[in-house]
Amino acid sequence: MPTLILVRHGRSTANTAGLLAGWTPGVALDERGAQQAAALPGRLAALPLSEVVTSPLQRCQETVQPLLDARPELRVHTDERIGEAHYGDWSGRKLAELRDEPLMEVVQAHPSAAAFPGGESMRAMQTRAAEAVREWNARVERDHGSDAVYLMCSHGDIIKSLVADALGLHLDLFQRISVEPCSITAIRYTRLRPFLVRLGDTGDLASLAPREEPPSGDAPVGGGAGAP
């Protein structure tokens, strides 16, 4: 079965503004995010990608565009099932404000029970994304063979939930996973089991350096902005 390359979109204007973007329209890459996207073709140069699948949201479309420009032979597909979580009434709000919401404790400690007001549950988010991957695995294998490699550009919580699914982790543990903007996660699927072969690889260790403000124990909803 194929190998899936999961790319989180580059850093966005919402990331740097501390907003939970969700499906809010017009959220683009910021200057650093554009630089991250521009570096993506070089980082992936050794991989014979067969297909590119992307979230319909602007920040993902902008992230894959330099790769598509560098490889005009690649076919690109848009799949809403790997779009960002539907955060409903939380969309567009400041993350600092959301920390005081009672639901945030559920999102952090028991996400399988969390449903966003006016949006979707985190279980529904994981289910739709995992179903998309399974269908794309079958399609890519049919069209390109069992050794094919393909790419999906998606969002932090989506990618974390797919990693949890691949590892057989309960969704309540997925907040222990971290994927920074424009990081690469790779899952090799086989008939017996998936293998997680890369997780949140940016090629940059700056995010591991001590910060002036100690990091919170809470997982950043939506994925966070990455290293300063």
Side-chain angles (χ1 to χ4, degrees):
M1 295 181 70
T3 296
L4 170 60
I5 307 299
L6 288 162
V7 176
R8 185 183 167 202
H9 62 80
R11 196 174 75 175
S12 73
T13 53
N15 292 145
T16 45
L19 299 176
L20 186 62
W23 285 71
T24 304
V27 177
L29 299 182
D30 68 6
E31 182 177 357
R32 180 172 177 181
Q35 293 170 350
Q36 292 170 330
L40 199 57
R43 295 170 63 198
L44 298 170
L47 296 180
L49 298 174
S50 58
E51 305 275 359
V52 171
V53 186
T54 180
S55 157
L57 294 172
Q58 180 178 340
R59 52 198 183 274
C60 286
Q61 302 274 338
E62 291 180 353
T63 297
V64 298
Q65 192 56 55
L67 177 65
L68 299 175
D69 292 342
R71 300 200 202 183
E73 75 283 0
L74 275 177
R75 290 187 295 176
V76 61
H77 313 269
T78 298
D79 194 325
E80 290 195 358
R81 295 174 297 176
I82 62 167
E84 181 63 285
H86 291 277
Y87 295 118
D89 297 344
W90 279 24
S91 299
R93 292 182 60 186
K94 284 192 171 292
L95 288 164
E97 297 173 356
L98 292 171
R99 291 194 188 104
D100 296 328
E101 294 280 354
L103 178 60
M104 182 59 84
E105 186 176 356
V106 183
V107 170
Q108 293 294 326
H110 193 22
S112 66
F116 297 101
E120 70 180 334
S121 70
M122 300 196 88
R123 285 183 299 163
M125 174 200 75
Q126 183 187 44
T127 297
R128 64 173 164 86
E131 287 178 349
V133 167
R134 283 161 174 73
E135 289 182 20
W136 277 104
N137 281 350
R139 178 172 174 176
V140 169
E141 182 174 17
R142 181 196 68 204
D143 294 345
H144 301 283
S146 59
D147 293 332
V149 180
Y150 74 106
L151 180 146
M152 281 186 170
C153 185
S154 189
H155 306 264
D157 282 348
I158 297 289
I159 293 173
K160 288 162 55 179
S161 74
L162 290 172
V163 170
D165 176 74
L167 292 176
L169 292 177
H170 196 284
L171 184 60
D172 286 346
L173 300 179
F174 100 126
Q175 297 290 28
R176 302 183 183 195
I177 299 166
S178 176
V179 289
E180 292 200 353
C182 225
S183 63
I184 292 173
T185 294
I187 302 171
R188 186 173 70 247
Y189 289 88
T190 74
R191 297 297 177 193
L192 292 179
R193 63 183 63 86
F195 291 89
L196 178 65
V197 292
R198 291 289 190 280
L199 176 61
D201 186 348
T202 63
D204 180 2
L205 301 181
S207 64
L208 302 180
R211 303 187 185 185
E212 292 183 9
E213 182 178 337
S216 166
D218 286 346
V221 180

